[in-house]
Amino acid sequence: GHAVLQAAQGRIGAPYKYGGAGPDAFDCSGLVTYAHRQIGVAVPRTAAQQFDAATPVKRDELRPGDLVFFRLEGRDVSHVGIYAGDGRFVHAPQRGGNVRLASLDEEWYRQRYAGAGRFYAARP
């Protein structure tokens, strides 16, 4: 999980680009795809597909490198970030933004939180 997080943190500041999967520009699910590719783990391409395929994780059991999912509009999951610890996550926000850290405690994200999951094999 830490290797996934490190790969994402290394891209902080990179610009948002719809459909971008790195290494120079990203959308939210592209950042997740890129970070997992760095450790040799293939993941689905969209946030909704990632949500459906990930092993679910309870919010109080989040570890760095886990994925946090959001429903930005409607009922479908449409945004994903990589949990960084201490209630924070790395994500590629919408157009005009750069890859950055945000907080799960921000009201906007708290209201849209859909769940969490992981693709890497967790060590005890």
Side-chain angles (χ1 to χ4, degrees), residues 45-83:
R45 182 57 184 94
T46 71
Q49 291 168 339
Q50 291 168 356
F51 179 72
D52 289 342
T55 301
V57 175
K58 294 178 183 169
R59 186 163 175 168
D60 63 354
E61 295 176 3
L62 279 168
R63 296 180 179 190
D66 287 347
L67 304 181
V68 288
F69 297 97
F70 304 90
R71 291 181 177 95
L72 300 188
E73 298 172 10
R75 295 168 51 182
D76 294 332
V77 167
S78 59
H79 190 63
V80 60
I82 299 171
Y83 188 68

Side-chain angles (χ1 to χ4, degrees), residues 28-111:
C28 65
S29 57
L31 180 64
V32 167
T33 300
Y34 171 85
H36 282 79
R37 194 175 345 149
Q38 304 312 301
I39 64 163
V41 174
V43 301
R45 182 57 184 94
T46 71
Q49 291 168 339
Q50 291 168 356
F51 179 72
D52 289 342
T55 301
V57 175
K58 294 178 183 169
R59 186 163 175 168
D60 63 354
E61 295 176 3
L62 279 168
R63 296 180 179 190
D66 287 347
L67 304 181
V68 288
F69 297 97
F70 304 90
R71 291 181 177 95
L72 300 188
E73 298 172 10
R75 295 168 51 182
D76 294 332
V77 167
S78 59
H79 190 63
V80 60
I82 299 171
Y83 188 68
D86 298 322
R88 298 177 314 147
F89 63 98
V90 179
H91 71 131
Q94 306 300 3
R95 288 173 192 81
N98 293 341
V99 174
R100 63 176 178 250
L101 280 166
S103 173
L104 290 172
D105 295 329
E106 289 177 40
E107 185 175 349
W108 201 85
Y109 291 110
R110 195 172 62 238
Q111 291 176 347

